[in-house]
Amino acid sequence: MSFLLNNIVELTVTGLVLGAVYGLVALGYTLVYGVLQLINFAHSEVWMYGSFAAVWVTVALGVAPGGPVLTAIGVLLLALLAAMTVSGGIALLLERVAYRRLLRLEAPKLVALISAIGASFFLAELMGLRDRVVDFFGLRDALDPFVRSARDNTRFLNPLETQGLFSIGRYTVSNVDVIIIVGAILMMVGLDQFIRRTRTGRGIRAVAQDSEAAALMGVNRDRVIRATFLVGGVMAGAAALLYLMRFGVTRWDAGFLLGVKAFTAAVLGGIGNVRGALLGGFVLGLAENYGSALVGSQWRDVVAFLLLVVILLFRPTGLLGESLGRARA
Amino acid sequence: MLLEVEGLCVNYGRIEAIRDISFSVEEGSVVTLIGANGAGKTTTMKTLSGLRKVRAGTVAFAGKDITTMPSHARVPLGISQSPEGRRIFPGMSVVENLDMGAYARPDRAKTRTADLERVFTLFPRLQERRDQAAGTMSGGEQQMLAIGRALMSRPKLLLLDEPSMGLAPKLIQQIFAIITDIREQGTTILLVEQNAAQALRIADRAYILETGEVVREGSGRELAADDSVRAAYLGGDV
């Protein structure tokens, strides 16, 4: 208990950082669920590919930490762009390969789920075996820095040096903490505005509320579905970079646990609810941190899922309890 | 003819929902399809909007074959529907619902004020509730919203599926008066109704559907005066 109280500021800040990442990834689950009533279980891999895209940008540019600040910011922006592009692209590819035909044939949702799980394994293993893949094409030497030790942790060297900005109690909040939390909130606000103000966003809401009625308004459902996957992917890409800035490492199979946590955050906030995803992410991140401080960090994941079960027992529709469809503008 | 339906057949799985239906709607007229529950009226309307797949037959709109055209592409051509059960977007406000009605119009920003004005003139009630969540309104108000929303696309052909369903008698009168107004403003209307008496009164032409087939057709007045029609659909007296 005293450990928790002595470190409450640090636990809160890092909990929020973690929660921001969960929330951004959770958006992908919640958006796709909103329009398709389907859990895109391969969304974790969308995030994982984004994280590798970010790492590879820094590898390709040969960046070392501790350079000039402006260069570092430039590199981070490039890495962000690459992560968002790759994640968005993978999400679109998933829609095309794993879902589109099944949706058109009105296959049962369980079939789409199996398809998603298959796609998830494929994508993860493809990343984990990337050295063999490039070997096969005879590109091993050319691409060595990108594929070396494919099944081990892949480190991300943050070009921006961590600097303390200000202290609260005994904890010094760093520039990286601030960037992650502010960055995540900006992305969320942007998404919220996109959903509410743009034509595509209104199309997404309409399909989520009543997809037949939306078709009667002239909404092209297929395009809305693609836009939803793309937006969810872009958010996951941003989350990937923010995650790397804090934790500094990714792996071919890192998507699984993060994906499950983000999915938990989405359900916790109320699946289908955009603001709920953010809230669920923060609640989960904080609960994990406080919980592991109380009972030991090896219990971290247990605490997270215990919380999920308890909250859902009392609020089965999640904290915000409304779907994307019913959420008021 | 604005709308020509030839030999239309639609199945739900192996069940034939409509069988070899033919009818047409002349520009500027009100045409009604009447019939009991399960006669295939709503299936016909959904098919006209592209929500159901056609097994056989053709649908032509303004001379163009639209039989296999996807739903969303039909709206810009000028087909708009107020569906059975209203199907308003419950989480959107009244104005947002109306804006959805204009979704397919490329010039919607320019005509928005005038279009909203027109709907609010027909349904002053909607103006009072413009920022209310549509899902919290009464059934009658939702019906007005569904019709208003369908008008926002400035349709050439307005499909109205059961606009009087579940409404109080006074409201039904009001809805039918408004349908007449809409026609007088130049919109062609295809009306599906269980309230046959009212529908026949305002219809130029009527078709009677029974178990997926057209069994009678004629002018509204003709059918309203016909004894067998009166017995079957009008409860004996109009």
Side-chain angles (χ1 to χ4, degrees):
Chain A
M1 197 63 177
S2 68
F3 179 77
L4 172 67
L5 293 178
N6 286 335
N7 295 282
I8 188 82
V9 177
E10 173 168 8
L11 291 169
T12 304
V13 173
T14 53
L16 289 175
V17 166
L18 197 57
V21 173
Y22 290 157
L24 280 176
V25 180
L27 283 171
Y29 287 102
T30 231
L31 281 169
V32 168
Y33 184 84
V35 296
L36 292 178
Q37 288 78 52
L38 185 111
I39 300 299
N40 175 15
F41 263 105
H43 187 60
S44 46
E45 284 9 287
V46 169
W47 170 84
M48 184 268 287
Y49 273 69
S51 71
F52 275 91
V55 169
W56 289 339
V57 165
T58 59
V59 172
L61 296 174
V63 196
V69 174
L70 272 181
T71 318
I73 290 174
V75 171
L76 281 177
L77 285 178
L78 265 182
L80 178 68
L81 193 68
M84 295 202 304
T85 310
V86 167
S87 289
I90 293 282
L92 283 178
L93 195 71
L94 270 173
E95 188 273 333
R96 178 74 190 82
V97 176
Y99 293 117
R100 192 181 296 174
R101 191 176 153 71
L102 294 176
L103 292 172
R104 196 154 290 164
L105 295 175
E106 290 170 19
K109 298 274 143 94
L110 276 176
V111 176
L113 188 66
I114 300 296
S115 173
I117 292 171
S120 178
F121 275 114
F122 175 83
L123 287 170
E125 289 295 342
L126 183 67
M127 185 57 82
L129 296 169
R130 63 189 185 280
D131 49 350
R132 321 254 175 110
V133 176
V134 298
D135 249 351
F136 179 80
F137 290 106
L139 296 167
R140 180 60 199 249
D141 294 336
L143 295 174
D144 183 65
F146 300 99
V147 302
R148 202 182 299 148
S149 12
R151 288 192 99 73
D152 297 332
N153 286 349
T154 302
R155 281 175 45 74
F156 171 77
L157 297 174
N158 189 349
L160 189 67
E161 238 177 338
T162 306
Q163 281 177 340
L165 290 182
F166 52 91
S167 297
I168 307 174
R170 297 192 325 181
Y171 182 69
T172 306
V173 178
S174 75
N175 53 350
V176 171
D177 294 332
V178 172
I179 288 175
I180 294 174
I181 296 175
V182 171
I185 290 174
L186 281 180
M187 295 294 293
M188 306 251 183
V189 170
L191 179 78
D192 206 62
Q193 292 299 306
F194 169 77
I195 296 274
R196 274 154 223 284
R197 307 249 180 266
T198 67
R199 180 165 183 266
T200 308
R202 284 189 292 122
I204 291 176
R205 288 176 68 208
V207 171
Q209 294 186 28
D210 186 332
S211 103
E212 261 196 1
L216 291 178
M217 304 299 113
V219 178
N220 183 339
R221 182 163 180 261
D222 294 347
R223 272 191 53 195
V224 161
I225 291 171
R226 284 198 288 280
T228 307
F229 272 88
L230 179 64
V231 170
V234 166
M235 292 286 154
L241 179 71
L242 298 182
Y243 176 91
L244 288 173
M245 287 175 69
R246 175 78 210 188
F247 300 99
V249 61
T250 184
R251 252 174 93 93
W252 64 278
D253 58 356
F256 179 74
L257 190 60
L258 190 112
V260 172
K261 296 274 182 70
F263 172 59
T264 305
V267 176
L268 206 56
I271 188 85
N273 186 310
V274 168
R275 289 174 183 173
L278 171 63
L279 180 66
F282 283 133
V283 168
L284 187 64
L286 289 173
E288 276 190 11
N289 265 11
Y290 295 155
S292 53
L294 270 179
V295 295
S297 60
Q298 69 273 33
W299 295 94
R300 163 170 222 112
D301 299 336
V302 178
V303 171
F305 289 100
L306 198 64
L307 176 84
L308 172 77
V309 172
V310 170
I311 289 186
L312 291 183
L313 279 177
F314 289 98
R315 275 196 70 90
T317 53
L319 292 170
L320 294 190
E322 282 180 320
S323 67
L324 166 75
R326 310 226 160 226
R328 279 282 281 121
Chain B
M1 286 297 163
L2 188 60
L3 179 75
E4 286 222 67
V5 175
E6 269 298 320
L8 194 67
C9 300
V10 177
N11 277 27
Y12 284 114
R14 302 183 118 186
I15 301 159
E16 292 181 306
I18 54 181
R19 254 195 317 265
D20 197 22
I21 283 186
S22 299
F23 64 92
S24 53
V25 178
E26 198 177 335
E27 186 145 18
S29 67
V30 174
V31 172
T32 183
L33 307 177
I34 58 179
N37 264 334
K41 305 184 302 280
T42 293
T43 304
T44 307
M45 294 299 245
K46 287 193 167 174
T47 309
L48 293 179
S49 278
L51 296 175
R52 293 291 173 267
K53 266 207 192 99
V54 173
R55 186 170 66 80
T58 57
V59 179
F61 181 74
K64 193 178 170 185
D65 185 347
I66 59 163
T67 313
T68 58
M69 183 181 270
S71 298
H72 62 86
R74 298 184 189 211
V75 184
L77 288 183
I79 301 179
S80 166
Q81 178 167 178
S82 162
E84 183 189 25
R86 309 184 268 270
R87 308 288 286 269
I88 46 112
F89 299 109
M92 297 189 192
S93 69
V94 166
V95 168
E96 284 178 308
N97 265 280
L98 293 174
D99 282 336
M100 279 312 297
Y103 186 89
R105 289 177 59 83
D107 59 345
R108 64 193 171 282
K110 264 181 282 167
T111 60
R112 183 171 184 265
T113 319
D115 289 343
L116 285 175
E117 187 65 39
R118 178 182 176 214
V119 172
F120 289 150
T121 311
L122 285 170
F123 303 105
R125 192 60 185 240
L126 293 181
Q127 184 153 31
E128 293 163 28
R129 310 249 150 160
R130 53 180 297 152
D131 294 318
Q132 188 174 333
T136 65
M137 299 200 303
S138 75
E141 287 163 346
Q142 291 189 7
Q143 188 60 62
M144 296 175 191
L145 180 56
I147 299 175
R149 187 181 64 174
L151 286 172
M152 288 296 287
S153 67
R154 297 197 174 178
K156 293 195 185 92
L157 174 65
L158 176 63
L159 307 174
L160 293 174
D161 195 349
E162 301 278 11
S164 76
M165 191 162 67
L167 300 187
K170 212 179 131 192
L171 256 175
I172 295 181
Q173 293 293 341
Q174 206 184 328
I175 293 272
F176 274 95
I178 287 166
I179 293 172
T180 315
D181 284 352
I182 294 170
R183 184 264 272 289
E184 269 156 27
Q185 291 172 19
T187 307
T188 310
I189 294 170
L190 179 62
L191 172 69
V192 152
E193 261 297 334
Q194 289 206 49
N195 191 332
Q198 290 279 8
L200 289 177
R201 191 174 301 153
I202 63 166
D204 299 298
R205 193 146 193 86
Y207 296 81
I208 298 182
L209 265 67
E210 262 173 34
T211 57
E213 287 176 285
V214 173
V215 293
R216 284 291 300 274
E217 61 173 284
S219 73
R221 194 169 308 160
E222 239 167 73
L223 293 185
D226 185 283
D227 282 341
S228 63
V229 173
R230 290 172 68 97
Y233 298 101
L234 306 177
D237 61 332
V238 183

Short mmCIF file of all heavy atoms in Angstrom, two decimals, chain A residues 196 199-200 202-203 205-206 209-210 212-221 224 325-329, chain B residues 46 49 51-52 71-72 75 81 83 87 89-93 96 99-101 103-104 108 131 133 149:
data_model
loop_
_atom_site.label_atom_id
_atom_site.label_comp_id
_atom_site.label_asym_id
_atom_site.label_seq_id
_atom_site.Cartn_x
_atom_site.Cartn_y
_atom_site.Cartn_z
N ARG A 196 -18.03 13.18 -36.55
CA ARG A 196 -19.21 14.03 -36.39
C ARG A 196 -19.40 15.04 -37.51
O ARG A 196 -20.52 15.38 -37.86
CB ARG A 196 -19.11 14.79 -35.06
CG ARG A 196 -19.66 13.96 -33.93
CD ARG A 196 -19.06 14.34 -32.60
NE ARG A 196 -18.75 13.11 -31.88
CZ ARG A 196 -19.67 12.36 -31.29
NH1 ARG A 196 -20.93 12.72 -31.31
NH2 ARG A 196 -19.33 11.24 -30.69
N ARG A 199 -18.46 14.22 -44.17
CA ARG A 199 -19.49 13.42 -44.84
C ARG A 199 -19.22 11.94 -44.62
O ARG A 199 -20.12 11.18 -44.27
CB ARG A 199 -19.46 13.76 -46.33
CG ARG A 199 -20.47 13.00 -47.14
CD ARG A 199 -20.63 13.65 -48.51
NE ARG A 199 -21.66 12.99 -49.28
CZ ARG A 199 -21.42 12.01 -50.15
NH1 ARG A 199 -20.18 11.59 -50.32
NH2 ARG A 199 -22.40 11.47 -50.83
N THR A 200 -17.95 11.52 -44.78
CA THR A 200 -17.62 10.12 -44.56
C THR A 200 -17.92 9.72 -43.12
O THR A 200 -18.45 8.64 -42.86
CB THR A 200 -16.13 9.87 -44.86
OG1 THR A 200 -15.84 10.39 -46.15
CG2 THR A 200 -15.79 8.40 -44.82
N ARG A 202 -20.16 10.98 -41.14
CA ARG A 202 -21.60 10.83 -40.95
C ARG A 202 -22.09 9.54 -41.61
O ARG A 202 -23.00 8.88 -41.10
CB ARG A 202 -22.34 12.06 -41.47
CG ARG A 202 -22.19 13.24 -40.51
CD ARG A 202 -23.07 14.41 -40.87
NE ARG A 202 -22.64 15.04 -42.10
CZ ARG A 202 -23.39 15.18 -43.17
NH1 ARG A 202 -24.64 14.77 -43.15
NH2 ARG A 202 -22.91 15.75 -44.24
N GLY A 203 -21.45 9.18 -42.72
CA GLY A 203 -21.79 7.90 -43.34
C GLY A 203 -21.47 6.73 -42.41
O GLY A 203 -22.26 5.79 -42.29
N ARG A 205 -21.40 6.81 -39.12
CA ARG A 205 -22.41 6.79 -38.05
C ARG A 205 -23.72 6.22 -38.55
O ARG A 205 -24.40 5.45 -37.85
CB ARG A 205 -22.65 8.20 -37.51
CG ARG A 205 -21.51 8.74 -36.68
CD ARG A 205 -21.78 10.17 -36.26
NE ARG A 205 -22.87 10.28 -35.31
CZ ARG A 205 -23.64 11.36 -35.19
NH1 ARG A 205 -23.47 12.39 -35.98
NH2 ARG A 205 -24.59 11.39 -34.28
N ALA A 206 -24.10 6.62 -39.76
CA ALA A 206 -25.39 6.15 -40.30
C ALA A 206 -25.36 4.63 -40.48
O ALA A 206 -26.31 3.94 -40.08
CB ALA A 206 -25.69 6.85 -41.62
N GLN A 209 -25.70 2.92 -37.19
CA GLN A 209 -27.02 2.97 -36.57
C GLN A 209 -28.03 2.11 -37.29
O GLN A 209 -28.90 1.51 -36.67
CB GLN A 209 -27.51 4.42 -36.50
CG GLN A 209 -26.66 5.25 -35.56
CD GLN A 209 -27.21 6.65 -35.36
OE1 GLN A 209 -28.40 6.88 -35.45
NE2 GLN A 209 -26.32 7.59 -35.09
N ASP A 210 -27.96 2.09 -38.62
CA ASP A 210 -28.94 1.32 -39.38
C ASP A 210 -28.42 1.23 -40.80
O ASP A 210 -28.57 2.15 -41.60
CB ASP A 210 -30.30 2.03 -39.34
CG ASP A 210 -31.40 1.20 -39.99
OD1 ASP A 210 -31.08 0.38 -40.89
OD2 ASP A 210 -32.56 1.36 -39.61
N GLU A 212 -29.22 -0.53 -43.46
CA GLU A 212 -30.17 -0.47 -44.59
C GLU A 212 -30.69 0.95 -44.81
O GLU A 212 -30.77 1.42 -45.94
CB GLU A 212 -31.36 -1.41 -44.34
CG GLU A 212 -31.21 -2.72 -45.06
CD GLU A 212 -32.51 -3.51 -45.17
OE1 GLU A 212 -33.58 -3.05 -44.70
OE2 GLU A 212 -32.45 -4.61 -45.73
N ALA A 213 -31.03 1.61 -43.70
CA ALA A 213 -31.49 2.98 -43.84
C ALA A 213 -30.40 3.86 -44.44
O ALA A 213 -30.67 4.74 -45.25
CB ALA A 213 -31.94 3.53 -42.48
N ALA A 214 -29.15 3.58 -44.06
CA ALA A 214 -28.04 4.35 -44.63
C ALA A 214 -27.98 4.17 -46.14
O ALA A 214 -27.77 5.12 -46.89
CB ALA A 214 -26.73 3.93 -43.98
N ALA A 215 -28.20 2.93 -46.60
CA ALA A 215 -28.19 2.68 -48.05
C ALA A 215 -29.30 3.47 -48.73
O ALA A 215 -29.12 3.99 -49.83
CB ALA A 215 -28.35 1.18 -48.32
N LEU A 216 -30.43 3.60 -48.05
CA LEU A 216 -31.55 4.38 -48.63
C LEU A 216 -31.22 5.86 -48.74
O LEU A 216 -31.86 6.59 -49.48
CB LEU A 216 -32.81 4.21 -47.78
CG LEU A 216 -33.48 2.82 -47.79
CD1 LEU A 216 -34.68 2.81 -46.87
CD2 LEU A 216 -33.88 2.44 -49.21
N MET A 217 -30.24 6.32 -47.95
CA MET A 217 -29.82 7.72 -48.04
C MET A 217 -28.77 7.91 -49.13
O MET A 217 -28.30 9.02 -49.36
CB MET A 217 -29.20 8.18 -46.71
CG MET A 217 -30.07 8.03 -45.50
SD MET A 217 -31.58 8.99 -45.62
CE MET A 217 -32.78 7.69 -45.74
N GLY A 218 -28.34 6.81 -49.74
CA GLY A 218 -27.31 6.92 -50.76
C GLY A 218 -25.91 6.70 -50.21
O GLY A 218 -24.92 7.02 -50.87
N VAL A 219 -25.80 6.16 -48.99
CA VAL A 219 -24.49 5.87 -48.43
C VAL A 219 -23.97 4.56 -49.05
O VAL A 219 -24.67 3.56 -49.04
CB VAL A 219 -24.57 5.72 -46.90
CG1 VAL A 219 -23.19 5.37 -46.33
CG2 VAL A 219 -25.09 6.99 -46.26
N ASN A 220 -22.77 4.62 -49.57
CA ASN A 220 -22.14 3.43 -50.15
C ASN A 220 -21.49 2.64 -49.01
O ASN A 220 -20.44 3.01 -48.50
CB ASN A 220 -21.10 3.86 -51.18
CG ASN A 220 -20.45 2.68 -51.86
OD1 ASN A 220 -20.47 1.56 -51.35
ND2 ASN A 220 -19.87 2.93 -53.02
N ARG A 221 -22.13 1.56 -48.62
CA ARG A 221 -21.70 0.82 -47.43
C ARG A 221 -20.28 0.28 -47.59
O ARG A 221 -19.49 0.32 -46.65
CB ARG A 221 -22.68 -0.32 -47.18
CG ARG A 221 -22.37 -1.13 -45.95
CD ARG A 221 -23.58 -1.96 -45.53
NE ARG A 221 -23.27 -2.74 -44.36
CZ ARG A 221 -22.93 -4.04 -44.39
NH1 ARG A 221 -22.86 -4.66 -45.54
NH2 ARG A 221 -22.67 -4.68 -43.28
N VAL A 224 -17.86 2.97 -46.89
CA VAL A 224 -17.84 3.28 -45.47
C VAL A 224 -17.04 2.24 -44.70
O VAL A 224 -16.24 2.57 -43.82
CB VAL A 224 -19.28 3.40 -44.93
CG1 VAL A 224 -19.31 3.27 -43.41
CG2 VAL A 224 -19.89 4.72 -45.36
N GLY A 325 -23.46 3.98 -32.59
CA GLY A 325 -24.69 4.35 -33.27
C GLY A 325 -25.55 5.28 -32.45
O GLY A 325 -26.07 6.26 -32.96
N ARG A 326 -25.65 4.99 -31.16
CA ARG A 326 -26.59 5.75 -30.36
C ARG A 326 -25.95 7.01 -29.76
O ARG A 326 -26.66 7.84 -29.21
CB ARG A 326 -27.15 4.89 -29.24
CG ARG A 326 -27.63 3.58 -29.78
CD ARG A 326 -28.98 3.19 -29.24
NE ARG A 326 -29.56 2.21 -30.14
CZ ARG A 326 -30.80 2.24 -30.59
NH1 ARG A 326 -31.62 3.20 -30.22
NH2 ARG A 326 -31.25 1.33 -31.41
N ALA A 327 -24.63 7.09 -29.85
CA ALA A 327 -23.97 8.23 -29.21
C ALA A 327 -24.46 9.54 -29.83
O ALA A 327 -24.57 9.66 -31.04
CB ALA A 327 -22.46 8.11 -29.38
N ARG A 328 -24.78 10.50 -28.97
CA ARG A 328 -25.27 11.78 -29.46
C ARG A 328 -24.12 12.62 -29.98
O ARG A 328 -23.01 12.55 -29.49
CB ARG A 328 -25.97 12.54 -28.33
CG ARG A 328 -27.36 12.07 -28.10
CD ARG A 328 -28.35 12.62 -29.14
NE ARG A 328 -28.72 14.00 -28.85
CZ ARG A 328 -28.52 14.99 -29.68
NH1 ARG A 328 -27.89 14.80 -30.80
NH2 ARG A 328 -28.91 16.21 -29.38
N ALA A 329 -24.40 13.44 -30.95
CA ALA A 329 -23.38 14.33 -31.50
C ALA A 329 -23.14 15.46 -30.52
O ALA A 329 -24.03 15.83 -29.80
CB ALA A 329 -23.83 14.90 -32.81
N LYS B 46 -38.59 -2.55 -51.02
CA LYS B 46 -37.15 -2.76 -50.77
C LYS B 46 -36.43 -3.09 -52.08
O LYS B 46 -35.31 -2.64 -52.30
CB LYS B 46 -36.95 -3.91 -49.77
CG LYS B 46 -37.32 -3.48 -48.36
CD LYS B 46 -36.84 -4.46 -47.32
CE LYS B 46 -36.97 -3.80 -45.95
NZ LYS B 46 -36.66 -4.71 -44.86
N SER B 49 -35.70 -0.05 -54.10
CA SER B 49 -34.56 0.71 -53.60
C SER B 49 -33.26 -0.09 -53.69
O SER B 49 -32.22 0.38 -53.22
CB SER B 49 -34.80 1.14 -52.15
OG SER B 49 -35.58 2.31 -52.12
N LEU B 51 -32.53 -2.94 -52.14
CA LEU B 51 -32.14 -3.65 -50.92
C LEU B 51 -32.37 -5.16 -51.03
O LEU B 51 -31.89 -5.92 -50.20
CB LEU B 51 -32.91 -3.11 -49.71
CG LEU B 51 -32.64 -1.66 -49.34
CD1 LEU B 51 -33.56 -1.20 -48.22
CD2 LEU B 51 -31.20 -1.45 -48.94
N ARG B 52 -33.13 -5.58 -52.03
CA ARG B 52 -33.34 -7.01 -52.24
C ARG B 52 -32.91 -7.36 -53.65
O ARG B 52 -33.09 -6.57 -54.58
CB ARG B 52 -34.81 -7.38 -52.04
CG ARG B 52 -35.30 -7.24 -50.61
CD ARG B 52 -34.68 -8.27 -49.69
NE ARG B 52 -35.03 -8.02 -48.30
CZ ARG B 52 -34.30 -7.30 -47.46
NH1 ARG B 52 -33.17 -6.76 -47.86
NH2 ARG B 52 -34.69 -7.11 -46.21
N SER B 71 -28.13 0.01 -54.16
CA SER B 71 -29.01 0.98 -53.49
C SER B 71 -28.49 2.40 -53.56
O SER B 71 -29.22 3.32 -53.92
CB SER B 71 -29.14 0.63 -52.01
OG SER B 71 -29.72 -0.61 -51.86
N HIS B 72 -27.23 2.56 -53.15
CA HIS B 72 -26.74 3.93 -52.99
C HIS B 72 -26.70 4.69 -54.30
O HIS B 72 -26.78 5.91 -54.31
CB HIS B 72 -25.37 3.93 -52.31
CG HIS B 72 -24.31 3.21 -53.09
ND1 HIS B 72 -23.59 3.83 -54.06
CD2 HIS B 72 -23.88 1.93 -53.04
CE1 HIS B 72 -22.74 2.95 -54.58
NE2 HIS B 72 -22.89 1.79 -53.98
N VAL B 75 -30.23 6.60 -55.35
CA VAL B 75 -30.67 7.84 -54.72
C VAL B 75 -30.36 9.06 -55.60
O VAL B 75 -31.24 9.88 -55.83
CB VAL B 75 -30.07 7.98 -53.31
CG1 VAL B 75 -30.59 9.23 -52.62
CG2 VAL B 75 -30.37 6.74 -52.48
N GLN B 81 -36.75 6.74 -50.38
CA GLN B 81 -37.75 5.95 -49.68
C GLN B 81 -37.86 6.32 -48.21
O GLN B 81 -36.87 6.53 -47.52
CB GLN B 81 -37.41 4.45 -49.79
CG GLN B 81 -38.41 3.59 -49.04
CD GLN B 81 -38.36 2.10 -49.33
OE1 GLN B 81 -39.10 1.36 -48.74
NE2 GLN B 81 -37.52 1.66 -50.26
N PRO B 83 -38.92 4.25 -45.33
CA PRO B 83 -39.16 2.81 -45.21
C PRO B 83 -40.17 2.45 -44.12
O PRO B 83 -40.49 3.27 -43.25
CB PRO B 83 -37.79 2.25 -44.85
CG PRO B 83 -37.10 3.36 -44.16
CD PRO B 83 -37.64 4.65 -44.73
N ARG B 87 -37.31 3.76 -39.51
CA ARG B 87 -35.86 3.59 -39.65
C ARG B 87 -35.10 4.91 -39.62
O ARG B 87 -34.16 5.12 -40.40
CB ARG B 87 -35.55 2.84 -40.94
CG ARG B 87 -36.32 1.54 -41.09
CD ARG B 87 -35.83 0.48 -40.14
NE ARG B 87 -34.57 -0.05 -40.55
CZ ARG B 87 -34.42 -1.12 -41.35
NH1 ARG B 87 -35.48 -1.74 -41.81
NH2 ARG B 87 -33.24 -1.55 -41.67
N PHE B 89 -32.42 7.53 -37.86
CA PHE B 89 -31.19 7.27 -37.13
C PHE B 89 -31.37 7.74 -35.70
O PHE B 89 -31.39 8.95 -35.44
CB PHE B 89 -30.01 7.96 -37.81
CG PHE B 89 -29.79 7.49 -39.22
CD1 PHE B 89 -30.07 8.32 -40.30
CD2 PHE B 89 -29.35 6.21 -39.47
CE1 PHE B 89 -29.89 7.88 -41.59
CE2 PHE B 89 -29.16 5.76 -40.77
CZ PHE B 89 -29.45 6.59 -41.83
N PRO B 90 -31.51 6.81 -34.76
CA PRO B 90 -31.96 7.19 -33.41
C PRO B 90 -30.98 8.09 -32.67
O PRO B 90 -31.40 8.94 -31.88
CB PRO B 90 -32.13 5.85 -32.70
CG PRO B 90 -31.33 4.87 -33.47
CD PRO B 90 -31.31 5.36 -34.89
N GLY B 91 -29.68 7.90 -32.93
CA GLY B 91 -28.68 8.67 -32.19
C GLY B 91 -28.39 10.03 -32.80
O GLY B 91 -27.59 10.79 -32.27
N MET B 92 -29.00 10.32 -33.93
CA MET B 92 -28.77 11.63 -34.54
C MET B 92 -29.94 12.56 -34.22
O MET B 92 -31.05 12.11 -33.99
CB MET B 92 -28.65 11.49 -36.06
CG MET B 92 -27.47 10.65 -36.51
SD MET B 92 -27.26 10.78 -38.31
CE MET B 92 -26.09 9.48 -38.60
N SER B 93 -29.65 13.85 -34.25
CA SER B 93 -30.71 14.82 -34.01
C SER B 93 -31.60 14.88 -35.25
O SER B 93 -31.29 14.30 -36.29
CB SER B 93 -30.11 16.19 -33.74
OG SER B 93 -29.53 16.69 -34.92
N GLU B 96 -29.71 16.41 -38.09
CA GLU B 96 -28.71 15.48 -38.64
C GLU B 96 -29.38 14.40 -39.49
O GLU B 96 -28.85 14.00 -40.53
CB GLU B 96 -27.93 14.80 -37.50
CG GLU B 96 -26.90 15.70 -36.87
CD GLU B 96 -26.19 15.01 -35.72
OE1 GLU B 96 -26.85 14.48 -34.82
OE2 GLU B 96 -24.95 15.01 -35.73
N ASP B 99 -30.14 16.00 -42.71
CA ASP B 99 -28.91 16.14 -43.49
C ASP B 99 -28.51 14.81 -44.14
O ASP B 99 -28.00 14.79 -45.25
CB ASP B 99 -27.75 16.64 -42.61
CG ASP B 99 -27.86 18.15 -42.36
OD1 ASP B 99 -28.50 18.84 -43.18
OD2 ASP B 99 -27.32 18.62 -41.35
N MET B 100 -28.75 13.71 -43.42
CA MET B 100 -28.46 12.40 -44.02
C MET B 100 -29.31 12.20 -45.28
O MET B 100 -28.87 11.57 -46.24
CB MET B 100 -28.76 11.26 -43.04
CG MET B 100 -27.68 10.96 -42.00
SD MET B 100 -26.01 10.81 -42.65
CE MET B 100 -26.17 9.40 -43.74
N GLY B 101 -30.52 12.74 -45.26
CA GLY B 101 -31.39 12.61 -46.43
C GLY B 101 -30.78 13.25 -47.67
O GLY B 101 -31.02 12.83 -48.79
N TYR B 103 -27.54 13.39 -48.20
CA TYR B 103 -26.19 12.85 -48.30
C TYR B 103 -25.72 12.67 -49.74
O TYR B 103 -24.58 12.93 -50.09
CB TYR B 103 -26.16 11.49 -47.58
CG TYR B 103 -24.82 10.84 -47.45
CD1 TYR B 103 -24.00 11.10 -46.36
CD2 TYR B 103 -24.36 9.93 -48.41
CE1 TYR B 103 -22.77 10.49 -46.23
CE2 TYR B 103 -23.13 9.31 -48.27
CZ TYR B 103 -22.33 9.60 -47.18
OH TYR B 103 -21.12 8.98 -47.04
N ALA B 104 -26.62 12.22 -50.61
CA ALA B 104 -26.21 11.88 -51.97
C ALA B 104 -26.20 13.08 -52.91
O ALA B 104 -25.81 12.94 -54.07
CB ALA B 104 -27.12 10.79 -52.52
N ARG B 108 -25.58 19.74 -51.92
CA ARG B 108 -26.41 19.84 -50.71
C ARG B 108 -26.12 21.08 -49.88
O ARG B 108 -27.01 21.63 -49.25
CB ARG B 108 -26.27 18.58 -49.87
CG ARG B 108 -24.89 18.34 -49.32
CD ARG B 108 -24.75 16.94 -48.77
NE ARG B 108 -23.37 16.68 -48.45
CZ ARG B 108 -22.45 16.38 -49.36
NH1 ARG B 108 -22.79 16.29 -50.62
NH2 ARG B 108 -21.20 16.21 -49.02
N ASP B 131 -33.21 19.90 -32.64
CA ASP B 131 -31.97 19.42 -32.03
C ASP B 131 -32.17 18.23 -31.10
O ASP B 131 -31.26 17.79 -30.43
CB ASP B 131 -31.28 20.56 -31.28
CG ASP B 131 -30.82 21.63 -32.25
OD1 ASP B 131 -30.29 21.26 -33.31
OD2 ASP B 131 -31.03 22.83 -31.97
N ALA B 133 -32.71 14.33 -30.04
CA ALA B 133 -32.30 13.02 -30.58
C ALA B 133 -33.54 12.34 -31.15
O ALA B 133 -34.56 12.22 -30.48
CB ALA B 133 -31.68 12.16 -29.50
N ARG B 149 -37.02 13.35 -44.24
CA ARG B 149 -35.67 12.91 -44.61
C ARG B 149 -35.64 12.42 -46.06
O ARG B 149 -34.72 12.73 -46.82
CB ARG B 149 -35.24 11.79 -43.66
CG ARG B 149 -33.82 11.33 -43.80
CD ARG B 149 -33.52 10.21 -42.83
NE ARG B 149 -34.31 9.01 -43.09
CZ ARG B 149 -34.15 7.85 -42.46
NH1 ARG B 149 -33.24 7.73 -41.52
NH2 ARG B 149 -34.90 6.81 -42.76
#
